[in-house]
Amino acid sequence: MRACIVGAGLGGLLAAANLAREGFKVEVFEKLPYPGGRFTNLPYRGYQLSTGALHMIPHAERGPLGKMLRQLGAGVEIIPSQPQAKFRISGRDYEYEELPSLFPLRDKLKVAKIIAMLKLGRATGEESYRSWLEKQIRNELVFKIADSFTGWSLSLKASEVPAKEVIAQTKNINKLGGPGIPAGGCGGVTKALVDVLQSEGAELHLKQRVKAIKQKGGAFEVLAEEKRSYDIVVSNAGPKVTAELARTILPEEYARAVSRIKGAAGIKISVACKKPMLGHSGVLFTPEAERINGINEVTNAVPELAPPGEHLLMSHQRLAEGADVKREIELGLRDLRELFPDFKKYCRVLAVQVYRNSWPVNRAPSGTHLSPATPVKGLYIVGDAVKPEGWMETDGIAAGVEEALRHIKASY
Amino acid sequence: MLVHEEQCVGCGACMPFCPKEAISVYGIAEIDPERCVNCGLCAAYCPNDAIEGD
Ligand SMILES: Cc1cc2nc3c(=O)[nH]c(=O)nc-3n(C[C@H](O)[C@H](O)[C@H](O)COP(=O)(O)OP(=O)(O)OC[C@H]3O[C@@H](n4cnc5c(N)ncnc54)[C@H](O)[C@@H]3O)c2cc1C
Ligand code: SF4
Ligand code: SF4
């Protein structure tokens, strides 16, 4: 069985490594000169910036990605964040469990009840997380905390995510724990997966763009530098690009349906710091900041992501559709200066990176649940548009790859 | 080198690869023609096909 993987992002690499282990003859085509897509390192002035991710894995070693890496024999240590998260409110940092103490008695019980309901993980209808919260409580701070969480992890406002998705995600956090930072950052994971491909005999072709996916006599014909034939094709190029590449074989309604999916956009600011500004390896949620949803300082767990003795701080903010990007960046930078009064003294902005359109934070908004199987038998989609319910970011990608493998194993 | 403004998202992937530190990215990439030596690296590393040789 011959498998062609289009794109060497995390989704493509995971699919390729698994299929190679299952005995498929695997070839991966990547248009860029490097593998990893939005999940690899960008070395810059001694710091390991990234092509996308904030160097965190949502459920560290205990989620679908950690589990899959272990099963593949990809030896990457994922250091659990300690604490998982803090919330900066009125200049002080609180742990999640401390949040009810911030509210007047009248609301304290309601907040405790919301936390309990999130823990139980009871599913609801199609309402948004924001409307679900509004049914329990009317308190601006609660809504801001919710927006900072969904902004950081999904690049959406609480009003843009289905409540049942956030509830399922929170249930997984309660069960499996919070984030962790891979040794070597995102690049450490990508490198480990490329090593697995090599040891399993899969071929990785860089600087080779796939131009078309067609079918001929029961097999797929993939056009990159040359034309080659495969039994299955797994595309990591995103549903829209995939629909374009395979336009002669996919039904038009499918292409129309995926063309309507709107990705989520965001802005990441990477900062070089002469001293630790957070002092821990968890997420600092910033519900009261104008734009920034959260910040991490991964060098507290993985010091090699910065020069010796220095730190890498990264902020993330959701970017609304149609917003003035330069103004949003300015507001983000202003937030950083306000959150850290000694910012000017110890910190230097290394890069401001915007993710939108063809290179977004997320190709499909959380809660989309696109199937990895397409209407064409043998053609599958993996990556950040294919995340089963309850799984976010790269753990969602790994869970989507698991689902794709189930489909493939049932048919081949 | 030419940055196509409608293609560039401002992701900054090109910036660290420039051997001449000719690229600044702030919402969109800008190339300083005084520093650029037309090596083409930025165009190869751009995920969005936003840079082209001129
Ligand atoms: C600012 C930001 C912060 C984030 N933070 C985190 C985080 O901390 N933790 C986390 O878990 N996730 C995080 N994410 C999300 C995570 O980075 C992405 O979900 C993940 O990297 C997407 O992987 P993918 O495989 O779906 O797609 P991609 O990484 O985009 O891979 C697709 C690949 O396909 C290639 N390709 C496209 N078309 C073709 C073609 N025609 N021929 C050949 N190759 C092609 C592309 O070049 C690319 O390499 C973050 C994302 C952003 C942007
Ligand atoms: S062509 Fe080379 S020198 Fe010019 S901006 Fe691009 S990377 Fe820099
Ligand atoms: S890599 Fe491409 S899209 Fe990203 S900032 Fe540079 S030119 Fe723009």
Side-chain angles (χ1 to χ4, degrees), chain A residues 31 45 209 353-354 356 358, chain B residues 9-11 21 27 47-49:
Chain A
K31 67 174 187 181
R45 299 184 177 170
R209 182 190 302 261
Q353 294 168 277
V354 181
R356 51 183 162 153
S358 52
Chain B
V9 305
C11 73
E21 301 224 346
N48 300 297
D49 303 311

Side-chain angles (χ1 to χ4, degrees), chain A residues 317-395:
Chain A
Q317 65 195 84
R318 160 189 173 270
L319 174 63
E321 203 185 347
D324 174 349
V325 173
K326 290 207 165 130
R327 165 120 182 104
E328 295 299 305
I329 295 173
E330 274 161 32
L331 290 171
L333 290 168
R334 199 171 75 188
D335 279 342
L336 284 173
R337 289 190 298 266
E338 280 172 10
L339 285 160
F340 304 106
D342 44 6
F343 190 82
K344 263 211 173 118
K345 191 165 166 203
Y346 297 108
C347 307
R348 186 165 45 95
V349 173
L350 289 166
V352 176
Q353 294 168 277
V354 181
Y355 297 90
R356 51 183 162 153
N357 309 332
S358 52
W359 202 242
V361 179
N362 207 345
R363 285 212 187 90
S366 186
T368 303
H369 310 314
L370 188 70
S371 168
T374 70
V376 173
K377 186 174 175 282
L379 174 61
Y380 304 90
I381 292 186
V382 293
D384 65 345
V386 184
K387 291 180 191 158
E389 182 174 276
W391 301 112
M392 54 177 145
E393 307 173 20
T394 50
D395 274 322

Side-chain angles (χ1 to χ4, degrees), chain B residues 1 14 17-23 31 35-43 51:
Chain B
M1 302 302 283
C14 51
F17 294 106
C18 175
K20 295 287 164 192
E21 301 224 346
I23 310 177
I31 295 176
R35 290 189 180 191
C36 173
V37 294
N38 285 309
C39 71
L41 272 181
C42 53
I51 308 185

